[in-house]
Amino acid sequence: MAHSPKPKATGRRRKAGPDPARVEAIFARLAGVMPEPKTELRFQDPYTLVVAVALSAQATDVSVNKATDRLFAVAATPQAMLDLGEEALIPYIASIGLYRTKARNVIAAARMIVNLHGGVVPLNRKDLQALPGVGRKTASVVLNELGIEPAIAVDTHVFRVAHRLGLADAPTADKVEDQLHAVVPPAYLAKAHHWLILHGRYTCVARRPKCETCVIADLCPARALFVGV
């Protein structure tokens, strides 16, 4: 009986992932200083959360909250948003980047929610991502915040922190999300998104990370790049 030739060794070794004990320690410490992390976007229910997250693309949570505080006072449901209309919506969100495109998407999404879902936001990934202006990241934020799915939405903060901590090395947000899901301990998965984003927003900032006050500095492979240790 003929045997198939064995594949030749390439000499390449599969790159080992981060040390599980170090990853465990990272999230244990983050949990210690932020036991109940939550989004800093203000919202009232699933619909206002979807709108707020969609508006936050390439904008700060502070700027979005200023806009939505006024907007949600007059249009906090899909039907009310439709009744408001695109042109009347624009003044409420004009201080936010890409406001014209976002206004168009918010109205189109409200129309789809009313016409296809009876005015109720669909809380599953497929239908959420089908809404205009709602991509994978927005859906992940919504599903995670509402406790429906332990998703990890990868924005610029999460992307940066994941790379600095050696939790991921992929070049795209989607691939970093997959890598994080593979290494974050299950016990910490539901809150990992918030810990990473808040850590990146206030401590592991882009230009001059605050390594001197960071609770996980000794666990960070990138620390030497910033403090020369």
Side-chain angles (χ1 to χ4, degrees):
M1 180 177 178
H3 294 279
S4 300
K6 293 182 179 180
K8 294 181 180 180
T10 62
R12 297 178 182 174
R13 291 186 178 181
R14 189 173 183 179
K15 187 176 181 180
D19 174 41
R22 184 175 68 87
V23 177
E24 179 85 23
I26 286 171
F27 286 99
R29 292 188 197 178
L30 292 175
V33 296
M34 294 182 281
E36 294 298 331
K38 296 180 179 180
T39 181
E40 294 183 322
L41 291 171
R42 290 195 283 268
F43 68 98
Q44 304 163 17
D45 51 29
Y47 176 65
T48 52
L49 176 60
V50 168
V51 173
V53 177
L55 291 176
S56 71
Q58 299 184 46
T60 65
D61 287 1
V62 172
S63 67
V64 172
N65 286 336
K66 287 181 179 178
T68 55
D69 282 349
R70 296 173 55 245
L71 173 61
F72 294 155
V74 298
T77 68
Q79 187 60 60
M81 196 68 74
L82 272 181
D83 293 342
L84 181 64
E86 184 176 334
E87 290 305 313
L89 167 59
I90 286 176
Y92 287 97
I93 63 172
S95 59
I96 300 174
L98 306 175
Y99 67 91
R100 292 191 181 278
T101 298
K102 291 176 180 179
R104 184 165 58 250
N105 285 335
V106 166
I107 296 301
R111 183 175 295 109
M112 185 177 289
I113 293 170
V114 169
N115 293 340
L116 298 183
H117 304 287
V120 179
V121 173
L123 295 179
N124 65 82
R125 182 172 290 278
K126 179 182 177 181
D127 289 335
L128 270 178
Q129 291 189 195
L131 297 175
V134 179
R136 176 173 173 172
K137 185 172 72 174
T138 296
S140 290
V141 172
V142 171
L143 293 172
N144 181 268
E145 185 66 29
L146 297 178
I148 296 169
E149 180 183 317
I152 303 178
V154 178
D155 67 353
T156 55
H157 297 301
V158 176
F159 188 91
R160 178 177 65 255
V161 172
H163 278 78
R164 285 180 177 173
L165 288 173
L167 302 178
D169 59 6
T172 67
D174 288 353
K175 290 182 179 179
V176 166
E177 181 178 348
D178 292 337
Q179 288 182 324
L180 288 173
H181 272 281
V183 302
V184 175
Y188 299 109
L189 196 56
K191 297 178 181 178
H193 161 73
H194 290 306
W195 283 320
L196 293 173
I197 194 171
L198 292 172
H199 187 66
R201 183 173 292 164
Y202 295 110
T203 302
C204 194
V205 295
R207 294 188 178 181
R208 297 186 65 182
K210 302 172 184 178
C211 300
E212 66 280 2
T213 60
C214 177
V215 297
I216 53 175
D218 59 309
L219 300 172
C220 179
R223 181 178 180 229
L225 299 175
F226 302 103
V227 298
V229 176

